[in-house]
């Protein structure tokens, strides 16, 4: 994928919860483009629509009104099977790391690789170990989650999300349960791996301590995109 190619293109997107008299609009006329290799942070108060928008972009909900294209493919009106296929091209990182406690760190990452039936088990093991080395857990590959810290568990989740070199990673409050240093370590690992792989990251957070990793910051309030801040890191200029 070439740099500056649009990974996500959203036009006039609306979304509603409930039916009939209980129907409530939660997203209003969202227009947004996100590009290859970009790190975009989305902020805003609780209930502003951030997670709803993230779930639509990730194919976890169906598009109701408007247009949402992922890698040039329209998601409005597609089947659930098509959404499932699309989700295999996206890495997900959540506040709860969602690791399987009965699997080791390596096995948790390996599961993501084995979704591709063209990859042998030997290759899956090798890729998993390589990615765990990249996140600094080479000494913990055979540890179970219960024997790891919160920061280490989140590193495994990052390894799992990035092991297949997806074009897009979606992260929902990945540092919320971590202390300051662990949170910083986690996002810097995400930033480094994403830039090396050319992966786009869209990250929802309330954590003001990590905003400086973003190429752009999007603010949402009451279902509306209210503010976009662009950081021109290439020329060392910041638009405040």
């Amino acid at each position: 994928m070439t740099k500056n190619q649009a990974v996500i293109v959203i036009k006039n997107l609306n979304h509603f919860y409930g039916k009939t008299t209980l129907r409530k609009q939660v997203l209003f006329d969202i227009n947004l483009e996100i590009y290859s290799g970009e790190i975009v942070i989305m902020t805003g108060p609780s209930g502003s629509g951030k997670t709803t928008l993230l779930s639509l972009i990730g194919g976890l909900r169906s598009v109701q009104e408007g247009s949402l294209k992922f890698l040039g493919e329209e998601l409005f009106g597609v089947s659930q099977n098509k959404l499932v296929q699309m989700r295999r091209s996206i890495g997900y990182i959540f506040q709860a790391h969602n690791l399987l406690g009965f699997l080791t760190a390596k096995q948790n990452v390996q599961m993501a690789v084995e979704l591709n039936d063209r990859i042998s088990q030997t290759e899956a093991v090798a890729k998993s170990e390589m990615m765990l080395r990249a996140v600094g857990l080479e000494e913990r590959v055979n540890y179970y989650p219960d024997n790891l810290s919160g920061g280490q568990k989140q590193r495994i989740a990052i390894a799992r999300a990035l092991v297949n070199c997806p074009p897009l990673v979606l992260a929902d409050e990945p540092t919320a349960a971590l202390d300051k240093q662990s949170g910083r370590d986690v996002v810097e690992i995400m930033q480094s791996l994403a830039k090396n792989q050319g992966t786009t990251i869209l990250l929802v957070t309330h954590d003001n301590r990590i905003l400086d990793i973003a190429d752009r910051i999007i603010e949402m309030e009451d279902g509306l995109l209210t503010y976009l801040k662009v950081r021109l890191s290439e020329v060392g200029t910041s638009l405040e």
Side-chain angles (χ1 to χ4, degrees), residues 11-12 33-34 52 72 110 112 164 178 199-200 213 231:
K11 293 182 179 177
N12 309 120
E33 294 188 4
I34 300 174
T52 298
Q110 190 178 326
N164 291 319
L178 303 179
T199 296
T200 301
I213 72 158
R231 191 186 67 170

Side-chain angles (χ1 to χ4, degrees), residues 6 26-27 40 48 56 58 63 78 85 87 93 96 98 100 123 129 137 153-154 164 170-171 188 199 206 212 230 232:
V26 292
L27 294 179
V40 177
S48 60
L56 286 163
V63 176
V78 301
Q85 290 177 13
R87 290 199 290 266
I93 305 169
N98 295 334
L100 295 175
E123 190 177 355
E129 291 178 345
L137 289 179
K153 291 174 187 176
Q154 200 62 300
N164 291 319
L170 302 177
E188 287 182 353
T199 296
H206 287 102
D212 60 299
V230 183
L232 303 177

Side-chain angles (χ1 to χ4, degrees), residues 18-199:
K19 295 180 180 179
T20 62
T21 57
L22 297 176
R23 192 172 192 241
K24 180 185 178 184
Q25 189 166 357
V26 292
L27 294 179
F28 297 82
D29 196 30
I30 303 296
N31 291 276
L32 176 66
E33 294 188 4
I34 300 174
Y35 297 94
S36 175
E38 199 175 22
I39 297 178
V40 177
I41 286 182
M42 183 158 50
T43 66
S46 296
S48 60
K50 304 184 303 298
T51 297
T52 298
L53 180 56
L54 198 75
S55 65
L56 286 163
I57 292 171
L60 301 171
R61 299 180 192 273
S62 296
V63 176
Q64 296 173 344
E65 285 186 11
S67 172
L68 198 166
K69 292 182 179 178
F70 173 59
L71 298 177
E73 189 159 350
E74 179 61 64
L75 300 188
F76 175 74
V78 301
S79 67
Q80 287 299 314
N81 284 341
K82 188 69 178 176
L83 287 178
V84 169
Q85 290 177 13
M86 187 206 85
R87 290 199 290 266
R88 291 176 179 168
S89 301
I90 298 175
Y92 301 89
I93 305 169
F94 300 102
Q95 177 179 343
H97 41 75
N98 295 334
L99 302 179
L100 295 175
F102 57 88
L103 298 180
T104 64
K106 178 172 64 179
Q107 289 168 334
N108 268 284
V109 178
Q110 190 178 326
M111 277 184 63
V113 186
E114 289 173 345
L115 290 173
N116 185 343
D117 55 16
R118 295 190 299 271
I119 292 180
S120 69
Q121 185 175 22
T122 301
E123 190 177 355
V125 170
K127 287 187 72 171
S128 303
E129 291 178 345
M130 180 184 68
M131 187 54 75
L132 286 167
R133 282 197 301 275
V135 299
L137 289 179
E138 61 272 16
E139 304 298 326
R140 300 287 190 272
V141 293
N142 293 314
Y143 280 52
Y144 290 91
D146 282 351
N147 296 320
L148 297 170
S149 69
Q152 289 169 335
K153 291 174 187 176
Q154 200 62 300
R155 290 183 188 209
I156 298 170
I158 292 170
R160 182 180 59 190
L162 286 164
V163 69
N164 291 319
C165 300
L168 176 66
V169 167
L170 302 177
D172 194 359
E173 300 285 2
T175 64
L178 303 179
D179 61 49
K180 179 180 179 180
Q181 188 57 51
S182 296
R184 187 75 210 176
D185 291 345
V186 159
V187 295
E188 287 182 353
I189 289 167
M190 289 172 62
Q191 181 185 38
S192 174
L193 291 175
K195 292 300 183 185
N196 289 338
Q197 295 183 359
T199 296

Side-chain angles (χ1 to χ4, degrees), residues 218-238:
I218 303 168
E219 293 182 6
M220 285 198 77
E221 189 165 358
D222 297 329
L224 295 162
L225 284 181
T226 59
Y227 184 61
L228 283 81
K229 181 168 106 174
V230 183
R231 191 186 67 170
L232 303 177
S233 55
E234 295 83 359
V235 293
T237 303
S238 179

